[in-house]
Structure formats: C-alpha cells, structure tokens
Amino acid sequence: MNNGYIQPLPLSVFQTTDVVAIAQQLLGKLLITQFQQQCTIGRIVETEAYAGITDKASHAYGGRYTPRTQTMYAAGGCAYVYLCYGIHYLFNVVTGPVNTPHAVLIRAIEPVAGLPIMLQRMGKVKADYTVGRGPGNVTKALGINRLHNAQLLHEHELYIGDDGYKVAESDYLVTQRIGVDYAGDDALLPYRFLMKGNKYVSGKKLS
C-alpha cells in the first residue's frame, strides 16, 4: 500500500463532543507513521473512549490538570502519549473542543504496511498476532513514544487516514473497557469497540 494516496482525516473530525462516537468511527481507519523514512501502517481494530472530567476512568476525571494531562485539554486532533507502569507508551487521540479533555485510546492495530520494520522495532524474527495487539504493542510496532505527545495528527510523520475501508455495524462489538476496575460503575460503561474475530484485538477472545 502506498500511503501517499491516504489523506489525513481533517482535525474537525476529532473536535466534536461525542467521544464515544469518535471511538467507534476510528475502527477501520489507518494509523500511519513515517519516521526516518520508515513507513508503518496499522488498521485500527480496537479503541476505548474516555469521557473527560465526568469519567472516573479518565486521567482528567474531576478536572485533573497536571503536566501529564494538560495535553488532553487541547483541541481534538492531537496525540496524547504517556508512559504506563514505567514500561509501555500508550497512544491516545485527544478529542473534543479546547478544554474538553476527552480521549480515545488505540488498543490494537492490524499491520497493513511496514511489517518488517515493526518486527525489528519489537525485537521479533517472525510475525504473529502480538504485533499490534494491545496498546503497548501498538506504539512499539509504529515507533511512537513520549516525544510524539501533543503532536497534531495531520502531520506527515504521524496521522490517522482513511483508505475507504468500511466497517458495518455487524462487523464490530461494543463492550466495557479493560483494566479500569478502579473506576467503579464507570468501568461498566460500553466504551470499548473492537472488530469481530480479529486476532489482533486484545483481552479475552470474543465472538
């Protein structure tokens, strides 16, 4: 696939107020990186929505504003990248208007282009389902790190594009999010979207 024909989504797509709808709409889109003349592309197959100050699972719950979360308060369409457990970088898309700290976590991608580069970055010899499975592997495979935090997602280096791939309602599932038990009732919210039967989707296998 030649990503020269894949245009970035306009930033306005990310600046509406319904973060759950955006999380669903990002299924099937392409997450593209071009670092040091190395192009890698993954199709987004799993997302989670985090609804800002009202969502107990969100870093911005209750209006929390810290050096880490300040990126979430930017206008939608930039990257929110943070280090999780001191080990993995996680990539999120900031959504909503300015000062509305919504975000969508990209939990899994299916490799589309640049697989040898992904394997090299992950220290793998042979491709398997773990390439792009889980948010920590997304960033490893695509070469995303903390330096990309707050970067606008219409730059040539890092962006989300649309190649015309269509996701029918029958092609995806909606579930509660993973690993947010601390959020009480909010842990049960149907804010996770995943492609049915896709081997790169994280967590327990679902039909």
Side-chain angles (χ1 to χ4, degrees):
M1 177 180 289
N2 185 343
N3 77 316
Y5 296 105
I6 304 169
Q7 295 298 315
L9 294 176
L11 296 184
S12 58
V13 168
F14 306 110
Q15 293 172 358
T16 60
T17 57
D18 192 341
V19 65
V20 178
I22 295 173
Q24 181 269 311
Q25 292 161 9
L26 286 179
L27 281 183
K29 299 299 188 289
L30 297 173
L31 182 52
I32 301 166
T33 63
Q34 291 217 98
F35 304 137
Q36 300 177 335
Q37 299 183 330
Q38 293 184 318
C39 177
T40 47
I41 304 175
R43 192 173 304 283
I44 298 170
V45 297
E46 182 183 3
T47 63
E48 286 181 344
Y50 288 84
I53 64 174
T54 63
D55 183 351
K56 293 177 183 176
S58 170
H59 290 172
Y61 174 63
R64 188 181 298 117
Y65 188 95
T66 68
R68 180 173 77 165
T69 65
Q70 64 180 346
T71 301
M72 299 180 72
Y73 289 82
C78 69
Y80 172 45
V81 183
Y82 63 90
L83 189 62
C84 183
Y85 301 127
I87 303 172
H88 304 295
Y89 290 106
L90 303 191
F91 172 81
N92 302 257
V93 181
V94 174
T95 73
V98 173
N99 292 325
T100 305
H102 294 169
V104 176
L105 172 65
I106 305 303
R107 284 200 60 91
I109 57 165
E110 179 176 349
V112 171
L115 181 58
I117 300 168
M118 296 182 188
L119 294 176
Q120 183 180 35
R121 286 170 176 162
M122 299 182 75
K124 288 180 172 290
V125 175
K126 185 177 179 181
D128 59 30
Y129 67 89
T130 64
V131 180
R133 185 176 191 259
N137 286 331
V138 169
T139 56
K140 287 178 186 175
L142 295 178
I144 298 170
N145 58 50
R146 188 69 173 77
L147 295 177
H148 303 112
N149 184 57
Q151 184 168 321
L152 289 177
L153 298 176
H154 65 12
E155 305 292 342
H156 181 67
E157 189 180 63
L158 170 62
Y159 68 94
I160 294 176
D162 186 351
D163 65 345
Y165 183 90
K166 301 298 182 184
V167 180
E169 190 171 344
S170 58
D171 292 338
Y172 68 88
L173 295 172
V174 186
T175 75
Q176 64 193 54
R177 293 169 293 188
I178 293 176
V180 295
D181 294 345
Y182 59 84
D185 290 345
D186 285 356
L188 304 177
L189 292 170
Y191 282 3
R192 175 175 173 244
F193 298 85
L194 56 104
M195 299 290 286
K196 276 185 184 178
N198 190 285
K199 66 181 180 180
Y200 294 95
V201 167
S202 63
K204 296 179 180 178
K205 293 295 183 183
L206 299 172
S207 59

